[in-house]
Amino acid sequence: MSSDHREPSLDVGLLSPVSAGHDESVSDAAILDALVTAEVALVRGLARVGALDPGAAERLSAEYGWTDSGCRGHGLSATDLALAAVDGGNPVIPLVGALRGRGVEPDAIHRGATSQDILDTALMLVAREALGRVIADLDRAARALSAFADEHAGVVTAGRTLTQHAVPTTVGARVAGWVRGIRRAVHRLREARDALPVQLGGAAGTLAATVDEWGTDAAAALPSAFAAELGLMAPDAPWHTERWPVTELGDALVQAVDAVGKVAADVAVLTRPEIGELAEGRGGGSSAMPQKQNPVASALIRSAALRAPQLAATLHLASAFAVEERPDGAWHAEWPTLRELLRLALGSSAQAAALAEGLVVDRAAVARNLALSDGRIVSERLARVLVPRIGKERFAALIGEASTGSLAGALRALPEAADLDVDALLDPAGYTGLAERFVGDATAPDSGRA
Amino acid sequence: MSSDHREPSLDVGLLSPVSAGHDESVSDAAILDALVTAEVALVRGLARVGALDPGAAERLSAEYGWTDSGCRGHGLSATDLALAAVDGGNPVIPLVGALRGRGVEPDAIHRGATSQDILDTALMLVAREALGRVIADLDRAARALSAFADEHAGVVTAGRTLTQHAVPTTVGARVAGWVRGIRRAVHRLREARDALPVQLGGAAGTLAATVDEWGTDAAAALPSAFAAELGLMAPDAPWHTERWPVTELGDALVQAVDAVGKVAADVAVLTRPEIGELAEGRGGGSSAMPQKQNPVASALIRSAALRAPQLAATLHLASAFAVEERPDGAWHAEWPTLRELLRLALGSSAQAAALAEGLVVDRAAVARNLALSDGRIVSERLARVLVPRIGKERFAALIGEASTGSLAGALRALPEAADLDVDALLDPAGYTGLAERFVGDATAPDSGRA
Amino acid sequence: MSSDHREPSLDVGLLSPVSAGHDESVSDAAILDALVTAEVALVRGLARVGALDPGAAERLSAEYGWTDSGCRGHGLSATDLALAAVDGGNPVIPLVGALRGRGVEPDAIHRGATSQDILDTALMLVAREALGRVIADLDRAARALSAFADEHAGVVTAGRTLTQHAVPTTVGARVAGWVRGIRRAVHRLREARDALPVQLGGAAGTLAATVDEWGTDAAAALPSAFAAELGLMAPDAPWHTERWPVTELGDALVQAVDAVGKVAADVAVLTRPEIGELAEGRGGGSSAMPQKQNPVASALIRSAALRAPQLAATLHLASAFAVEERPDGAWHAEWPTLRELLRLALGSSAQAAALAEGLVVDRAAVARNLALSDGRIVSERLARVLVPRIGKERFAALIGEASTGSLAGALRALPEAADLDVDALLDPAGYTGLAERFVGDATAPDSGRA
Amino acid sequence: MSSDHREPSLDVGLLSPVSAGHDESVSDAAILDALVTAEVALVRGLARVGALDPGAAERLSAEYGWTDSGCRGHGLSATDLALAAVDGGNPVIPLVGALRGRGVEPDAIHRGATSQDILDTALMLVAREALGRVIADLDRAARALSAFADEHAGVVTAGRTLTQHAVPTTVGARVAGWVRGIRRAVHRLREARDALPVQLGGAAGTLAATVDEWGTDAAAALPSAFAAELGLMAPDAPWHTERWPVTELGDALVQAVDAVGKVAADVAVLTRPEIGELAEGRGGGSSAMPQKQNPVASALIRSAALRAPQLAATLHLASAFAVEERPDGAWHAEWPTLRELLRLALGSSAQAAALAEGLVVDRAAVARNLALSDGRIVSERLARVLVPRIGKERFAALIGEASTGSLAGALRALPEAADLDVDALLDPAGYTGLAERFVGDATAPDSGRA
């Protein structure tokens, strides 16, 4: 539609507001940086194990802007590589060509490696950077929500099951549950991040070319050297077509999106105007309706939560179909899927942090809703106390809609209940169980392990 | 990793070789064109029903480069809108601001409309353009494969079930099946394309603002006028939160990817070196192994086929969760998902067309494999003929691995089979049933309806 | 846990209340009936084309309880076949053994057929029966909801977008949208049901064994004869490993679940006690809270809507991976998946019919909620009228939370609005656009085509 | 189809051969046992914390067949409960009625509990039992494959990438990768099993009813007492609508299916008749083709691997949509999904154990295939050695198809290669890198930790 010249798509997030502005760490530029970083790190690793001249490694490092956090300013074009990637099916083939074509230590580049070594490792680097940001944003969200839970630990509210008022709980207890979910997700993300491994095995996962050229000892030492350059883990053996490092990463990411998705689900309900118990600090406007304050952060997070699980499923399918020493499609399916999953985690955790930090409770609305059932919200307690006195049938009539007048009045009029403190019996604040204790457990400073 | 300044992600397909170079029609630029086109078409539609001054519509059309195939060269920035879209949760809000800010007929813009009207309609425009390309590429693929099936209609080959040789079929019959699958998918895509509707309902799907300003008749006529400007269908009523136009589109797209996915699955198997019956005309190289000719098109198509179904599932989830007059996340989940599904259909159909046009059969390999079972590939026929003569047990021994020497020899040595023409009995070419007829049916010029 | 003797699982729906009691048509007993029916129909078809003795077909028909709607009372055990199915990977292999072992016309059974012919055809029979029920229940739901929409066509209610009040709509208009969604789904289900094809191709889809034994003409006529016995369609050619008949069926089923899922999503929100605009006629109780009336039908339908899309995705994956003449796993993945999808459609459509027939509106609650924004629900209209008079800034202050007192009072106090009929301006009933018309279009007796 | 009387579906696995015969631990009977067990354990827990009379707990335990591994022989009917579950939406409501109706300590039953407490806890019990079987079968598979890998550690074979021969590897190295994948999955399953928590929180997760009746201390002690009765973990707080215990379980299960899915994917390819390197010890027959030995275990496992990821995705969706204190559908969606995922893990791990123990290698076929490229399988090495001597162009011609005669002969004829040991250079056995070492690492007795 736009032009005759075939240009690759520019995706700046026009259709993905949840991640727009939060996904630079998974941009094509970032991925290209990581690919170059992996190639240079391999050369540095070879030098470290004595296989290559350290000078060559240094010259390459300088040429491609090696820093402690990867290569920058290397001057390669992601667009050119993207188009050139089609023929061979992956971007590493043209990348190697471009690096060698630069003329700086061309013979040192990509020695003993296969495309998969570079691409898998680069995606682990990208994941590490993205996970760092996701974890930071979830930590922010958990901290803000912990403070919020503490602040509102004593605010009694209607607990709702299947949309209906069930028994009382507290604002703090509900939010403490969110904190637990987020902290568990952070725990999994940290595990995943700390386990991110380099991949280095050559075409069939045997490191044959490396052994052939530099011998068994150098080859055996190389993965650790490579990993040390990159700050990633060295696996027991090349993982190659055993893809659990990818699926475990994906599972942790979707668990993170779930955790904030649950928060957003609750917030979206509780900001409904008829309920009005919560408000996002900063609502979004409308193109036509000036009065609206939409819970935009919640909506965006929920859009991510609706999408992420199916992406993780694709990673699992790719894992199960990772046939032989490199599959005919399953590996290729992982790349954009993992990237999109990282994007969703980045965007939804950033939105969640902002949402958590701005969240506002309307205590009057909480109290008004709590009173809506005229005391029936503690009917579980009433049943325990009254059924033995008046029987099931009369109790049901009392509670049911047939009754007129206030429930308190009806209780006071009951001869069998004459000895009861009706106000205390009906007070929802007296029926919140261990809510306060559960808040304290969740928001204590050392409760972060899960 | 790459910079401190937060830039939206540039996705040029570095990690999506299946669609790189084939997805300009779903690029952010194309989507922005479509959004602008929808806004301008609404003004033109209002003029068409007499609500607005035709001159205003013409001035706006000129300002934003209106052509028969949409607006071009409008000078708006997708990146700016993407970042601005985060606050309100969709890109139409800042778009309307940008259009009005241009100062050309600001009061005519977005009258009576809501973000959803523009975004849903724009995505239908984008889908139409993309579907046109997908259909064209699938037509190319079907034509090439029909010719291929006709050419090899008489080439007998091993039919394989659960990976094992079963009974004979022909190369043509197998490929005719592919053609049927692709033609059916094209049929569904055409149905979907011809049904693509505009969305126009205002905030709650009632066209209240339009009625309020210009009356019932103008409002009732507007959707058709809007649709006429855009060449889309006018629905009976705004579809709004009844999302079947999106899911039916998604289902048609995934069916298309399935159809070429099945082709790629067969090609990937049959190009294995031990089988070698087919070759992609142009194999892809390797970063390290000079001898390799990889079936890259098949692998890329298969990567799309592994991903597309889960994206279509997300569209269905979004449909079922499209609560009230606009949902809190489900609508947002559709946009990037539909785009990615379009991308996969675009890429995989383009790859399939190229694959189909270059496909090569190695008849010697076909014959060699067919002979591999030394005639046992027709054991279904042998059983029918011989079991009545020699009983099940002796037949099983004859066919089983225990037998030594050639099967033909063993048959000739059987007294009970003395009257049989062993060569004819064992000839796979005599046991292909209606294979030839099924090829003809599929490849006849008028067989395109499904 | 339960016993040492390995028994196959008895799944009576203990964990699937949405379908419990509604899924007899997809029970193992029903599937076994269908398998037997397909085997007998094949013999009848062979007799019909003159290949077999009609007497044999009649004797078999009598033995296995052939009726116009399939075989009944055949005395075979689903449990035995299920366990025996493991070795060969499908239940047809032991079924053929059992049928032949019965001793009635053993040589007529399964002639020229392969397991896939019988299993695919049987699943189409099961689908036809199930689709009939789903369609009937959706028709019931659509009729009840049409009447409901007509009855409440004039009841103005808050239209809600992103959970917030947006502009008015009517109860009827919202429900008319549900009707449209359900009718469209019924349209697709009818298309799918009318297209359900027999599968008959032999091991490689060539009908070789049939041709070999009875010649080309008989073989060419057989699929139609087989289809005629079963009341299914005869396809142009065996569909075999082109699996679109399965995926199109799956897509129609999930669209049906989506359609009622959308209804349930709205009902679940609108039955919230703080909103209270709708009630399921018959709410579900709680194990502990006597006051609760849960929207159980909505919850069960929503549970189906959350599950169905991923099942349809599995069918698409199986289609794309249907390699060669029978795949190594993808075909097997279809059976339980299609069955579960049928179950979800059966259960959710039955629940939807009951929900629709019992749905109750609380007009007072509707009115109370509509008034909640003190007129701001028509702020879209107010903006059009007032911004030209008082400017954007003053208008925003007027609408915003900063304002005190009633909006009507504030408007009346505005000198610039002195000429306006404030009551009319603020009346939501005057701002429902074409809502009434859209109801009529949806609920007219002849509106069932989509 | 089968009867007029509505019976719940009997699912004995007729359509699920992968799990038929392996899923008794997730049968309705087993689930009912677990539900009863959870109810009785709650009473026992209450007695343990001093809230109830120990005698009552013992009488109930006796009545319902309490044993160390749960309740048996309680005489309740799963079918009755399944049908009764529809009204309230879950089977616990009628179960409580049935238990109380029995008349044995009716007042002790379900005290302070909600349906979710019982159902969630029961599913954890079922999961524990099922996980035990899955782990045992995967351990069997890993042991058998370790022995297999050791036995064939030195058997050189073609490493294949994108279906094509790449470089050599060994049979042992490939299988050692399988072992690593399975062991990692077992590690995750063990983690998941050891973390399976009871759920006990009452309607809103506060234990209000328990506190109300027996005070804070008893309530606070109850979850641990309940967990102790059942041998499950006591969580820090009720997990309620934080559903990560379910999704982490689901993720571990799908990882297990992936791991054996990868094995099956390789086996399915390598048992192809043209390749023939592996055979399942016991192939499956065909309904029509007597010669066939189908890799049935692989096909069944692959069918599970194609289905499991989408089920895990549903669990994640349910987690993100677990709104408030009990969601309106998402919880219900978990039960049948988790059960089916357990079924797939049970069936595919049992099939994998059998497959692993029967796996056969054909060394002659391995060698024949390895030789297929006439030495080009080591072209990576040849390039390293020869390109410096003869240049890229001549090397490409040498390796390419244009060359005639044997590669060895061509090499010997090269003047520039006169000093090379051509036989050694072309020997694939000399180019397997660290394959042997990687086998040893994987199959060592203490390598089971991941």
Side-chain angles (χ1 to χ4, degrees), chain B residues 6 24 57 64 70 129 142 155 164 169 184 188 202 205 241 261 264 294 304 307 340 375 394 403 445 449:
Chain B
R6 293 229 155 181
E24 75 182 277
Y64 294 106
E129 176 72 18
V155 178
Q164 304 298 301
T169 183
R184 179 70 186 184
R188 304 297 292 198
T241 42
N294 292 322
R307 298 171 57 206
E340 192 65 21
R394 281 176 63 204
S403 66
R449 70 150 252 291

Side-chain angles (χ1 to χ4, degrees), chain A residues 10 26 29 33 40 43 66 88 105 142 157 183 218 256-257 274 281 292 313 336 345 361 363 384 418 436 440:
Chain A
L10 283 191
V26 298
D33 285 352
V40 174
V43 177
W66 174 270
E105 305 291 340
T157 185
R183 288 221 167 115
V257 178
E274 293 87 355
K292 287 193 72 186
V361 69
R363 293 193 181 198
R384 185 175 65 79
E436 200 167 349

Side-chain angles (χ1 to χ4, degrees), chain B residues 160-166 268-269 271-274 288-293 295 317 369 376 379-380 395 399, chain D residues 160-166 268-269 271-274 288-293 295 317 369 376 379-380 395:
Chain B
R160 294 171 177 95
T161 64
L162 282 92
T163 75
Q164 304 298 301
H165 288 196
V269 166
T271 56
R272 287 185 167 276
E274 293 87 354
M289 294 159 288
Q291 89 284 10
K292 285 194 72 185
Q293 289 296 312
L317 288 164
N369 292 335
R376 282 169 186 80
S379 63
E380 185 184 54
F395 178 73
I399 292 295
Chain D
R160 295 170 177 94
T161 63
L162 283 91
T163 75
Q164 304 297 302
H165 288 196
V269 165
T271 57
R272 288 184 166 275
E274 294 87 353
M289 294 160 288
Q291 88 284 10
K292 286 194 73 185
Q293 288 297 312
L317 287 165
N369 293 334
R376 282 170 187 78
S379 62
E380 185 183 54
F395 178 73

Side-chain angles (χ1 to χ4, degrees), chain C residues 335-409:
Chain C
W335 320 331
T337 305
L338 178 58
R339 163 143 73 165
E340 192 65 20
L341 201 42
L342 287 166
R343 258 200 203 116
L344 294 182
L346 284 161
S348 59
S349 59
Q351 295 284 348
L355 186 161
E357 290 171 352
L359 198 63
V360 176
V361 69
D362 179 342
R363 293 193 182 198
V366 170
R368 187 173 59 243
N369 293 335
L370 183 63
L372 210 62
S373 67
D374 186 29
R376 283 171 184 79
I377 196 157
V378 295
S379 61
E380 185 184 53
R381 172 158 68 174
L382 298 178
R384 186 175 65 78
V385 173
L386 292 174
V387 167
R389 294 169 185 240
I390 63 174
K392 274 192 171 181
E393 216 159 290
R394 281 176 62 203
F395 178 73
L398 190 77
I399 292 296
E401 299 179 62
S403 67
T404 59
S406 83
L407 183 57

